[in-house]
């Protein structure tokens, strides 16, 4: 009896995962019908055809390694010296513990912006 109810819970979780992925990615609409009409089998088919290939993509989990892009951000801030680029580069330096570089980037970001104030605990002000 309990095995049957646990199986229903797993089926519902599988369909919920497929539906959430469908809503976020917006693939072709026929996948929605496959998920809804075929139930858990359709959810497995959808996840195998749509979600599994995304996991093999090398860029899927790039958001997890923030420090890997510090060289990229320093190049970007050299090419495009916008306040946002310097703010992101300052945050990367702050995460690495390079306080002087972080402070220089935040100072440059703050002087370029007039619409926001950044509150950072980077020691006493130089002015």
């Amino acid at each position: 009896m309990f095995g049957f109810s646990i199986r229903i819970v797993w089926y519902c979780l599988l369909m919920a995962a497929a539906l959430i992925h469908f809503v976020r990615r917006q693939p072709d609409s026929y996948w929605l019908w496959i998920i809804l009409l075929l139930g858990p089998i359709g959810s497995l088919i959808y996840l195998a055809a749509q979600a599994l290939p995304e996991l093999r993509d090398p860029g899927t989990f790039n958001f997890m390694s923030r420090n890997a892009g510090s060289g990229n951000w320093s190049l970007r801030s050299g090419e495009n010296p916008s306040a946002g680029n310097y703010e992101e580069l300052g945050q990367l330096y702050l995460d690495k513990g390079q306080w002087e570089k972080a402070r220089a980037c935040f100072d440059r970001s703050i002087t370029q912006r007039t619409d926001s104030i950044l509150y950072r605990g980077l020691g006493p002000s130089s002015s």
Side-chain angles (χ1 to χ4, degrees):
M1 170 123 178
F2 290 111
F4 182 71
S5 63
I6 291 174
R7 194 176 314 155
I8 290 176
V9 170
W10 278 109
Y11 290 165
C12 290
L13 288 174
L14 186 64
M15 288 182 66
L19 288 172
I20 289 170
H21 188 272
F22 175 82
V23 169
R24 287 187 177 180
R25 300 291 183 211
Q26 293 293 320
D28 295 329
S29 61
Y30 63 85
W31 284 112
L32 179 64
W33 293 109
I34 290 174
I35 295 168
L36 293 177
L37 295 178
L38 296 180
I41 301 293
S43 298
L44 279 175
I45 293 169
Y46 170 79
L47 291 172
Q50 293 290 320
L52 191 62
E54 289 179 7
L55 293 177
R56 293 189 326 206
D57 182 21
T60 300
F61 297 107
N62 276 348
F63 66 92
M64 295 176 75
S65 62
R66 183 177 176 133
N67 290 334
S70 62
N72 190 15
W73 278 104
S74 64
L75 288 175
R76 281 188 193 173
S77 61
E79 293 172 1
N80 181 10
S82 68
N85 285 344
Y86 278 109
E87 188 176 334
E88 185 68 27
L89 184 60
Q91 186 64 43
L92 288 170
Y93 284 140
L94 190 66
D95 291 344
K96 287 183 177 181
Q98 299 176 356
W99 313 112
E100 295 301 321
K101 288 182 180 182
R103 183 183 177 127
C105 289
F106 286 132
D107 287 342
R108 190 153 182 187
S109 173
I110 290 171
T111 57
Q112 290 180 357
R113 279 195 170 157
T114 58
D115 61 341
S116 68
I117 298 173
L118 296 175
Y119 296 101
R120 304 286 183 182
L122 297 176
S125 65
S126 60
S127 51

